[in-house]
Amino acid sequence: MTRPLIADIDLDALRHNYRLARDLAPHSRALAVLKADAYGHGAVACARALEGLAPAFAVACLEEAVTLREAGITTPIMLLEGVFEASELERVEALGLWMAVHSDWQLDALLARRPARPIPVWLKVDSGMHRLGFPPERVEAAWGRLADAPEHACDLHLMSHFATADSLDPRYFQRQMTLLETLAGRLGAPTCLANSPATLAWPEAHGAWNRPGVMLYGGDPLEASSEASRRLKPVMTLRSRLIAVRELAAGEPVGYAGRWKAPRPSRIGVVAAGYGDGYDRHAVDGTPVLVEGRRTALAGKVSMDMLTVDITDIPEAEIGSEVVLWGRAANGEVLPADEVARHCDTISYTLLTGVLPRVPRRYHGGFD
């Protein structure tokens, strides 16, 4: 008998979420972002499910693109951070990749190499995130160098990243948006600006391309959910079972340091899942869990291979009962990863990408 913890991946939900991103911006095309192993869901399986639906994919680095190409994925792939050294340009050309250019050395390296065919290039602007990108006052010169070298670069776009598109306060987003609209208008440049929150909440940011990421996997990136974000479906269900049940008297402690103490005579269920699987050790007592499709809560610190939940009010729970740590239970009840993340003082991105390799992924759906 195998350990019961699995990450159940619903590829039909992935395709639903992609279609939502596409339908929210009917005049844009949507890159499907598959970086970080498709946010922990398995990049190859997700790419195969989206091939023929998404016109292009996006990854963070060359290694992630190579993994997709070696698996037979032929859809165009964008390198969101471009290359990390000039020697990578040979592979970019050989694999037919698109690339971001965010700095002088990348631009110089690209123009110093004469490719057999020009490489699609998206010039990144630092519009206020202050990570990567050319400062606004230098964008026109960089754009001009690319435009004057059609044998090196083609299909030029402007791209940028929003720092606060998820926020209820629109002021910083609007500052970035105004700057980008001005630049794009001056250059006559098509744009790729909208990440997941901007795709969901800011139609004015929808450009020639958008870049939905976490929303494809069911994560709601908005500070306050919208009608659109409530239509997202969870793609990953982290599912396990109870492997033991304990009957405790009132006042008895549970787990390391006895952090949780039974407030009454209690039944405690032991779940095969822990921080060695990627479940966040920062989860506090009261973090929601589904047992037999009913809500209950974490009781005690998360261990490496196990965690404990209060099943006092779920009398039908027994050894072998289904436990959902996030995602969709067998009865249809949903526990969003975003809700679990709030109890861990983190975001759903970290939970999803943090599921470790020893947790088997099980795939279903994904085809029309």
Side-chain angles (χ1 to χ4, degrees), residues 299-319:
K301 290 185 177 182
V302 176
S303 302
M304 180 178 286
D305 309 304
M306 292 172 280
L307 55 84
T308 44
V309 295
D310 184 356
I311 56 171
T312 309
D313 294 327
I314 310 177
E316 67 272 28
E318 58 187 12
I319 293 172

Side-chain angles (χ1 to χ4, degrees), residues 83 86 89 99-113 121-123 134 138-149 152-153 156:
V83 296
L89 287 168
M99 61 177 283
V101 169
H102 62 73
S103 57
D104 285 315
W105 78 263
Q106 288 179 328
L107 180 54
D108 293 341
L110 177 67
L111 297 181
R113 177 183 174 81
V121 170
W122 293 8
L123 188 70
F134 287 86
R138 295 181 50 222
V139 168
E140 290 185 64
W143 182 271
R145 292 182 67 192
L146 289 167
D148 289 341
H152 296 269
L156 302 183

Side-chain angles (χ1 to χ4, degrees), residues 114-166:
R114 183 63 179 264
R117 57 185 181 276
I119 296 171
V121 170
W122 293 8
L123 188 70
K124 187 154 193 177
V125 183
D126 179 5
S127 61
M129 187 74 169
H130 300 321
R131 296 189 310 191
L132 301 178
F134 287 86
E137 65 273 13
R138 295 181 50 222
V139 168
E140 290 185 64
W143 182 271
R145 292 182 67 192
L146 289 167
D148 289 341
E151 70 279 11
H152 296 269
C154 65
D155 196 23
L156 302 183
H157 286 64
L158 280 185
M159 68 184 299
S160 193
H161 196 73
F162 294 115
T164 62
D166 59 330

Side-chain angles (χ1 to χ4, degrees), residues 61-261:
C61 59
L62 181 61
E63 292 83 358
E64 293 179 336
V66 168
T67 296
L68 294 177
R69 286 287 187 256
E70 289 181 346
I73 302 300
T74 59
T75 300
I77 301 172
M78 162 61 67
L79 299 179
L80 291 172
E81 296 175 30
V83 296
F84 294 89
E85 55 185 55
S87 62
E88 292 183 336
L89 287 168
E90 182 178 356
R91 298 299 306 279
V92 169
E93 182 184 351
L95 296 173
L97 307 178
W98 306 355
M99 61 177 283
V101 169
H102 62 73
S103 57
D104 285 315
W105 78 263
Q106 288 179 328
L107 180 54
D108 293 341
L110 177 67
L111 297 181
R113 177 183 174 81
R114 183 63 179 264
R117 57 185 181 276
I119 296 171
V121 170
W122 293 8
L123 188 70
K124 187 154 193 177
V125 183
D126 179 5
S127 61
M129 187 74 169
H130 300 321
R131 296 189 310 191
L132 301 178
F134 287 86
E137 65 273 13
R138 295 181 50 222
V139 168
E140 290 185 64
W143 182 271
R145 292 182 67 192
L146 289 167
D148 289 341
E151 70 279 11
H152 296 269
C154 65
D155 196 23
L156 302 183
H157 286 64
L158 280 185
M159 68 184 299
S160 193
H161 196 73
F162 294 115
T164 62
D166 59 330
S167 175
L168 289 172
D169 184 343
R171 289 172 293 179
Y172 200 73
F173 166 81
Q174 289 170 346
R175 174 178 154 184
Q176 287 187 267
M177 193 68 226
T178 298
L179 185 154
L180 291 163
E181 285 176 329
T182 300
L183 275 174
R186 190 179 300 152
L187 296 171
T191 61
C192 178
L193 307 177
N195 51 8
S196 285
T199 299
L200 286 162
W202 298 105
E204 60 266 48
H206 297 166
W209 289 87
N210 299 327
R211 306 188 300 277
V214 75
M215 69 175 290
L216 299 182
Y217 308 99
D220 184 347
L222 299 179
E223 191 174 282
S225 295
S226 67
E227 183 278 330
S229 70
R230 286 190 289 273
R231 291 160 59 193
L232 295 168
K233 294 182 179 181
V235 175
M236 179 190 292
T237 296
L238 190 61
R239 189 189 312 278
S240 190
R241 297 192 178 277
L242 295 183
I243 59 172
V245 175
R246 293 286 179 267
E247 305 274 353
L248 299 182
E252 285 295 306
V254 172
Y256 287 116
R259 184 180 73 182
W260 188 89
K261 293 180 174 57

Side-chain angles (χ1 to χ4, degrees), residues 22-44:
R22 182 191 63 188
D23 294 346
L24 288 169
H27 302 297
S28 305
R29 288 180 288 177
L31 288 168
V33 180
L34 300 176
K35 65 181 181 176
D37 199 27
Y39 290 62
H41 293 68
V44 170

